């Protein structure tokens, strides 16, 4: 029988204790129902057997994991640029820390398990709608090859939860090697607690970067690794048309994971300035802002890390500046590699950037579908194969001009059609978690049907592979249907 209590315990975050983590019991969830269970992840974690009532009780917050006090952590953050001195796990509880089948440390968190000391005005709950979105998105991103927190289970309940309307509660069990955020370090920096800062950094170094402990300046090496991981993550988001929606520093992972899925969205009709979060009126977190927002967030992280870098203030600033300055070339390098792969180019040519921008401009001008347009590139060959692309981009004169230059570019590196098509189909997905697909699964669940959720979950496990019966899931939303308004409400 699967039981989280039986997995090899590895309570490294719990060992940090106060003031980092506060024991907090989950609030029981009435009439829990297991709406989805991620069997593949469960196996990787070492959970054997089909989920039963005992496991469901643990995943609902109704039964504790033996020997582990559920914990809520404290952090702070910059939200929409404004400093907020105290946030924390307002509705997330760490319920277990284990070593998985490969010996890797993993933490399990219930999101929506009731109030904690950090709930402020919130009820500690999460609604079914946002839980389904987080559950699906976590695993879709993982299957796309993007670093992300994972999702083990989705539990629903008839418990009413008031948002703009009355909804019902759900709990996602999230899994990650660490849920620590930029905001964790910010909290202790602004409270002038450098020894606490150091304990957090040591914890991360020992657990996740032991090789850096040998370096002459382990903290500097670690922060450089965070900068590089964040740059690489931004390049992956941009290359998939993924918009996070709430890139506050408290939603930025110190491991470079995609974290806290809220009003996120994948681009359908492409707009460089697309704002996926209905509550983001100024467009601070628009698609084309994400890379520079990450840079700014890293500047906040480095500010908070100054006491780690040097006891002399000026020397610390100099070191921090050097580390932060890694970001622009790291991002640009990673991004150019991603774009080149998306166009099927194997080497770098002068003029690539212009060709990339011209293609994106073609999409942007008529809001052509981002995912479908890139997927259509694989059908092109030396003599033809433009139909799929022409169906997505209607400015045929503009497209033909671009195609002439694109084909010349392919000839210049003696690109071979079949091999290129295979490479392209391995980086340009056919299926992404479009908002309307997630919404269909949510609506069906609200009516008691889990079939659409199961179908979509399975589909998104293999996003690069054409699947029988998958046509509808590869379609753009019908033109003219109003876009779903996705806000921070969750
Ligand atoms: P988010 O915008 O989801 O990243 O949340 C920002 C902060 O508000 C975090 O500290 C959350 O834990 C907290 N929070 C969000 N929703 C709730 C809720 N319903 N109950 C308690 N805390 C919440
Ligand atoms: Mg958050």
């Amino acid at each position: 029988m699967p039981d989280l209590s039986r997995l090899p315990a590895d309570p490294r975050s719990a060992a940090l204790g106060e003031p980092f983590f506060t024991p907090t019991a989950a609030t029981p969830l009435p009439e829990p129902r297991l709406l989805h269970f991620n069997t593949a992840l469960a196996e990787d974690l070492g959970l054997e057997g089909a989920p039963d009532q005992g496991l469901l009780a643990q995943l609902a917050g109704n039964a504790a994991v033996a020997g582990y006090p559920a914990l809520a952590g404290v952090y702070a953050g910059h939200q929409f640029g404004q400093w907020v001195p105290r946030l924390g796990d307002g509705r997330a509880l760490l319920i277990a820390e284990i070593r998985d089948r490969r010996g890797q440390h993993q933490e399990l968190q219930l999101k929506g398990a009731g109030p904690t000391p950090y709930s402020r005005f919130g009820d500690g709950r999460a609604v079914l709608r946002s839980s389904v979105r987080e559950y699906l998105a976590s695993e879709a991103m993982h299957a796309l090859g993007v670093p992300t927190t994972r999702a083990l289970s989705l539990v629903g309940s008839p418990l009413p939860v008031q948002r703009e309307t009355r909804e019902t509660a759900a709990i996602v069990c999230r899994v990650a090697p660490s849920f620590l955020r930029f905001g964790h370090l910010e909290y202790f920096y602004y409270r002038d607690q450098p020894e606490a800062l150091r304990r957090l950094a040591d914890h991360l170094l020992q657990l996740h970067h032991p090789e850096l402990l040998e370096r002459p300046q382990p903290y500097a090496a670690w922060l450089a690794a965070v900068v590089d991981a964040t740059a690489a993550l931004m390049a992956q988001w941009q290359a998939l048309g993924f918009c996070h929606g709430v890139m506050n520093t408290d939603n930025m992972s110190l491991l470079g994971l995609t974290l806290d899925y809220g009003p996120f969205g994948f681009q359908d009709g492409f707009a460089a300035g697309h704002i996926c979060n209905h509550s983001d009126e100024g467009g601070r977190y628009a698609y084309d802002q994400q890379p520079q927002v990450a840079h700014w967030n890293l500047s906040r992280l480095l500010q908070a890390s100054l006491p780690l870098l040097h006891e002399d203030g000026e020397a610390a600033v100099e070191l921090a500046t050097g580390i932060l300055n890694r970001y622009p070339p790291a991002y640009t390098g990673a991004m150019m590699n991603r774009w080149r792969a998306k166009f099927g180019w194997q080497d770098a040519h002068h003029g690539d950037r212009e060709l990339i921008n011209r293609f994106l401009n073609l999409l942007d001008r008529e809001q052509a579908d981002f995912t479908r347009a890139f997927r259509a590139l694989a059908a092109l060959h030396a003599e033809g194969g433009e139909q799929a692309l022409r169906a997505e981009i209607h400015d045929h004169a503009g497209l033909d001009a671009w195609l002439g230059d694109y084909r010349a570019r392919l000839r210049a590196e003696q690109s071979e059609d079949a091999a290129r098509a295979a490479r392209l189909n391995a980086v340009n997905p056919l299926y992404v978690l479009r908002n309307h697909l997630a919404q269909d699964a949510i609506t069906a669940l609200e009516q008691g049907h889990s079939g659409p959720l199961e179908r979509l979950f399975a589909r998104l496990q293999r996003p690069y592979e054409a699947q029988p019966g998958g046509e509808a899931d590869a379609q753009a939303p019908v033109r003219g249907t109003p876009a779903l308004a996705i806000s921070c409400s969750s």
Side-chain angles (χ1 to χ4, degrees), residues 263-345:
F264 69 88
F266 285 85
Q267 294 251 10
D268 295 306
F270 180 71
H274 176 63
I275 304 167
C276 66
N277 178 356
H278 198 65
S279 320
D280 179 11
E281 278 154 27
R284 181 182 173 86
Y285 299 137
Y287 169 80
D288 59 2
Q289 300 302 304
Q290 297 188 123
Q292 64 211 55
V293 166
H295 192 196
W296 187 83
N297 288 346
L298 285 163
S299 79
R300 299 300 80 218
L301 173 67
L302 282 153
Q303 172 80 40
S305 305
L306 288 175
L308 297 173
L309 288 171
H310 208 287
E311 56 210 27
D312 173 66
E314 267 179 47
V317 169
E318 197 170 313
L319 275 165
T321 307
I323 296 167
L324 186 61
N325 286 345
R326 297 170 70 90
Y327 182 84
Y331 168 71
T332 306
M335 192 71 253
M336 284 306 288
N337 287 340
R338 293 273 167 202
W339 288 131
R340 287 198 176 98
K342 287 182 78 68
F343 286 98
W345 304 329

Side-chain angles (χ1 to χ4, degrees), residues 3-19:
D3 178 353
L4 297 177
S5 312
R6 289 212 212 139
L7 299 176
D10 192 27
R12 309 283 286 266
S13 289
L16 284 169
E18 303 269 7

Side-chain angles (χ1 to χ4, degrees), residues 75 181 250-251 260:
Y75 54 82
R181 304 147 188 268
D250 50 293
N251 290 337
D260 275 10

Side-chain angles (χ1 to χ4, degrees), residues 75 79 87-88 90-91 119-120 122-125 163 251 260:
Y75 54 82
Q79 299 193 311
L87 292 160
R91 54 167 167 176
S119 296
R120 298 178 296 160
D123 55 12
R125 292 298 185 187
R163 296 291 180 260
N251 290 337
D260 275 10

Side-chain angles (χ1 to χ4, degrees), residues 29-30 91 123 125-133 156-170 439 442-443 445-446 485-490:
L29 184 74
R91 54 167 167 176
D123 55 12
R125 292 298 185 187
V127 297
L128 179 67
R129 166 178 54 84
S130 68
S131 302
V132 171
R133 285 170 51 82
S157 160
L159 179 74
V161 175
Q162 190 63 38
R163 296 291 180 260
E164 281 85 353
T165 61
R166 188 182 257 239
E167 302 185 46
T168 59
Q439 192 53 50
I442 293 163
T443 306
L445 268 183
E446 286 170 346
I486 310 287
S487 72
C488 275
S489 151
S490 59

Side-chain angles (χ1 to χ4, degrees), residues 202-241:
D202 289 345
H203 164 79
L204 279 164
L205 272 160
Q206 284 157 11
L207 200 46
H208 301 295
H209 308 272
E211 73 288 355
L212 299 181
L213 290 166
E214 315 294 320
R215 300 282 189 88
Q217 292 176 308
Y219 298 128
W222 166 60
L223 289 162
V226 178
V227 170
D228 294 352
T230 305
L233 182 69
M234 290 308 116
Q236 284 194 279
W237 286 3
Q238 299 304 101
L240 289 165

